[in-house]
């Protein structure tokens, strides 16, 4: 099976990008897939959520690889990859990535740097998932260039207005100018409280507005206390509350993603 690379992105913060990258990644690993998660947010939330509580103490991160590509240094692509006990690998990120923004912008082929690093790793994995920061800056664009598709988590807590339009426009621009095979993997409704009228309204609006042009996943990620707690213990929702509704929803999402193949 050729490796599939997916960027998890939305320039709005708090839509469940990091939770989705982590939980989808572990759900895919539980289906027997070899999975690499790549933290591309200088906040290092994905890195922390997987249990590396002090990302700033890590020496080799995604920032090191961007720097090595820019400088033409021969840094081995696997340098710094961490193994999580639930069966996924992680390329961590920390605050050093924020300092790479300018060097990346000044670099030759500035949109291709992440792709140059990640390409040789495709031989080792079935899935590479990039957790993006809540911006449409040069680092997320690098993730889009390195990806086959973009998975868009949208919070059921507010109507996605202009943020979606901006993201879809950026994806279109990357597709036209740099990566013609980039597609939208799907829109994922997250943080959904089924008892709440707004959540139902948002879900209906998303399916209506985007359902004909894009896949809107049948799986909807419910809001649950357990899902808010699990990052603090460095465990996925599968290890923390494996029989709960959030784990079940991510299992279904993984099946939808794999089914598309
Ligand atoms: N299913 C869920 N139920 C409850 N809280 C959640 C759920 N998913 C994520 N959260 C919490 O919501 C916040 C935002 O989620 P996060 O994945 O960090 O979003 P983003 O990466 O888009 O900023 C975090 O505090 C996270 O722990
Ligand atoms: Mg995040």
């Amino acid at each position: 099976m050729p490796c599939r690379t997916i960027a998890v992105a939305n320039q709005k913060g708090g839509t469940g990008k990091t939770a989705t990258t982590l939980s989808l990644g572990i759900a895919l690993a539980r289906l027997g897939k070899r999975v690499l998660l790549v933290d591309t947010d200088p906040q290092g939330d994905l890195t922390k959520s997987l249990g590396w509580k002090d990302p700033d103490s890590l020496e080799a991160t995604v920032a090191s690889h961007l720097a090595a590509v820019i400088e033409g240094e021969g840094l081995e692509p696997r340098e710094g990859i961490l193994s999580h006990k639930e069966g996924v690998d992680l390329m961590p990120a920390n605050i050093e990535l924020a300092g790479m923004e300018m060097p990346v912008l000044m670099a030759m082929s500035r949109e291709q740097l992440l792709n140059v690093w990640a390409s040789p790793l495709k031989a080792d994995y079935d899935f590479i998932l990039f957790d993006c920061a809540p911006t449409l800056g040069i680092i997320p664009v690098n993730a889009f260039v390195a990806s086959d598709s973009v998975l868009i988590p949208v919070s059921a807590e507010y109507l996605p207005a202009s943020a979606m339009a901006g993201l879809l426009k950026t994806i279109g621009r990357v597709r036209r100018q740099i990566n013609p095979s980039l597609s939208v993997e799907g829109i994922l409704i997250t943080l959904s409280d089924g008892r709440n009228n707004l959540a139902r309204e948002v879900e209906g609006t998303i399916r209506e507005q985007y359902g004909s042009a894009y896949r809107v996943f049948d799986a909807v990620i419910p809001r649950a206390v357990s899902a808010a707690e699990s990052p603090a213990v460095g465990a996925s929702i599968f290890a923390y509350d494996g029989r709960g509704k959030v784990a079940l929803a991510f299992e279904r999402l993984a099946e939808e993603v794999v089914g598309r193949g």
Side-chain angles (χ1 to χ4, degrees):
M1 184 176 115
C3 179
R4 283 171 63 194
T5 50
I6 303 176
V8 179
N10 186 332
Q11 80 272 36
K12 220 170 152 43
T15 66
K17 289 178 287 299
T18 299
T20 298
T21 308
L22 193 163
S23 309
L24 173 61
I26 289 181
L28 289 168
R30 291 162 60 89
L31 293 173
K33 308 298 179 191
R34 299 166 302 162
V35 177
L36 173 65
L37 305 181
V38 183
D39 195 346
T40 70
D41 185 338
Q43 298 297 324
D45 287 344
L46 177 64
T47 303
K48 290 178 213 162
S49 299
L50 282 164
W52 284 275
K53 293 295 171 204
D54 182 17
D56 294 348
S57 69
L58 295 168
E59 283 197 3
T61 64
V62 72
S64 329
H65 287 282
L66 291 174
V69 172
I70 292 171
E71 299 301 332
E73 288 163 7
L75 185 61
E76 207 279 316
R78 299 198 59 88
E79 185 74 34
I81 290 182
L82 304 166
S83 293
H84 189 266
K85 57 179 182 296
E86 291 179 57
V88 297
D89 284 354
L90 169 72
M91 172 53 71
N94 62 24
I95 196 65
E96 282 178 37
L97 186 57
M100 285 308 296
E101 183 108 2
M102 260 306 143
V104 167
L105 279 168
M106 309 280 280
M108 201 186 286
S109 306
R110 60 183 185 178
E111 294 94 356
Q112 293 282 357
L113 306 174
L114 207 52
N115 190 35
V116 169
W117 163 69
S119 288
L121 294 170
K122 292 183 186 175
D124 300 344
Y125 295 100
D126 299 310
F127 284 91
I128 300 179
L129 308 184
F130 297 94
D131 182 27
C132 294
T135 78
L136 289 174
I138 190 67
I139 306 288
V141 165
N142 263 261
F144 299 168
V145 171
S147 294
D148 301 313
S149 63
V150 184
L151 192 157
I152 308 172
V154 174
S155 167
E157 288 171 349
Y158 27 70
L159 285 163
S162 53
M164 268 302 257
L167 175 58
L168 293 168
K169 202 167 156 188
T170 299
I171 292 170
R173 199 176 296 145
V174 170
R175 185 191 299 128
R176 282 191 308 278
Q177 298 182 20
I178 313 175
N179 178 7
S181 60
L182 182 66
S183 65
V184 172
E185 185 67 38
I187 297 170
L188 175 68
I189 298 160
T190 62
L191 297 162
S192 175
D193 180 349
R195 294 162 303 183
N196 176 316
N197 287 335
L198 174 64
R200 282 199 296 270
E201 188 189 329
V202 170
E203 181 173 347
T205 303
I206 290 170
R207 292 195 190 278
E208 198 176 299
Q209 274 190 6
Y210 299 102
S212 54
Y214 304 101
R215 166 163 70 171
V216 180
F217 291 105
D218 291 333
V220 169
I221 311 302
R223 175 177 269 289
V225 173
S226 58
E229 288 171 348
S230 59
V233 297
S236 80
I237 193 65
F238 294 97
Y240 192 72
D241 182 22
R243 289 165 187 275
K245 56 189 179 176
V246 175
L248 200 73
F250 277 113
E251 223 160 65
R252 192 170 309 149
L253 173 67
E255 281 161 10
E256 286 186 68
V257 167
V258 168
R260 194 189 196 193

